Amino acid sequence: MTLRDLKPGQFARVKSITAEGSFKRRIMDMGITSGIEIQMVKVAPLGDPIEVTLRGYQLSLRKNEAESIEITTEGCSCTGCESNSFN
């Protein structure tokens, strides 16, 4: 499952980043690293970009960027994980 698959209000934990090179470095520089908890906040009316919350700030990403971020809800300690429909 990737970050693109989350629905607004759902929580997850980053499992891995499948991007390579400078694109992967840019994602990691934005604070998206393995193990970090992340919440999908909203999706733009036309579907792109998406807004997520992590490390206490909000970040907008394009859907193609979100596709390179593998996520899981296992081991996530955030309060919203129990309500995720894909558990």
Side-chain angles (χ1 to χ4, degrees):
M1 171 180 280
T2 67
L3 184 56
R4 181 179 182 161
D5 300 320
L6 278 184
K7 304 280 188 260
Q10 292 181 320
F11 293 79
R13 184 176 297 277
V14 175
K15 186 166 47 172
S16 65
I17 301 170
T18 59
E20 295 183 10
S22 63
F23 183 58
K24 181 176 183 174
R25 172 58 47 201
R26 190 171 72 85
I27 288 174
M28 292 176 71
D29 287 346
M30 289 188 280
I32 301 173
T33 56
S34 295
I36 194 72
E37 293 178 351
I38 196 165
Q39 178 189 19
M40 173 70 77
V41 177
K42 61 184 171 182
V43 178
L46 297 176
D48 203 21
I50 62 171
E51 184 178 320
V52 296
T53 298
L54 68 148
R55 298 183 188 265
Y57 72 94
Q58 294 178 323
L59 176 67
S60 293
L61 295 168
R62 298 233 175 255
K63 281 194 168 185
N64 65 339
E65 295 170 331
E67 284 179 339
S68 66
I69 302 167
E70 296 285 329
I71 59 169
T72 184
T73 58
E74 294 178 23
C76 191
S77 63
C78 45
T79 58
C81 287
E82 305 83 47
S83 64
N84 283 339
S85 60
F86 49 83
N87 275 345

